[in-house]
Amino acid sequence: MSLIEVLGNGTRLEILRELSRGPRYVSELAESTGMDGATAVHHLSTLEDADLVEWYMRGNRKYYRLTRSLELRIAPPPERTFLLQADPIDGSGDSGES
């Protein structure tokens, strides 16, 4: 699935918006976005496959966090710019939590 397809889903964008505020566990994400846990896990799996999020365990809770910063830039003529970029977040995956 391309990055544009992954980001073309409003629910996944809501999840990314929540994760931009900090790590969240699945139940928090499901509640804050108004979906059930199974649906949240499905969307999180898609985001994980796109290398946009990763998870770690703390106690018995599975937390998700962003692994990339996203930038979308679109400009009309004469620039005609379309840029969708996902850059690694410094320090992602280096916290030792797993």
Side-chain angles (χ1 to χ4, degrees):
M1 187 177 286
S2 74
L3 187 55
I4 198 83
E5 290 172 315
V6 170
L7 299 176
N9 180 284
T11 302
R12 287 192 283 271
L13 290 175
E14 277 294 315
I15 290 171
L16 291 171
R17 185 174 299 126
E18 283 297 314
L19 292 176
S20 73
R21 297 178 178 117
R24 301 281 189 267
Y25 57 93
V26 176
S27 298
E28 281 182 309
L29 287 168
E31 185 177 315
S32 65
T33 56
M35 68 181 94
D36 62 70
T39 303
V41 168
H42 166 75
H43 288 296
L44 286 163
S45 176
T46 300
L47 293 168
E48 188 176 5
D49 289 346
D51 201 27
L52 296 174
V53 301
E54 65 183 7
W55 60 270
Y56 62 92
M57 296 296 292
R58 181 169 289 156
N60 63 349
R61 290 187 172 160
K62 190 174 190 178
Y63 282 81
Y64 283 84
R65 63 179 159 215
L66 294 177
T67 59
R68 299 191 173 273
S69 62
L70 298 167
E71 180 180 359
L72 174 61
R73 201 176 326 153
I74 303 172
E79 294 86 11
R80 290 191 185 128
T81 303
F82 181 86
L83 172 70
L84 177 58
Q85 187 171 327
D87 295 321
I89 296 173
D90 291 335
S92 177
D94 295 339
S95 69
E97 297 170 298
S98 38

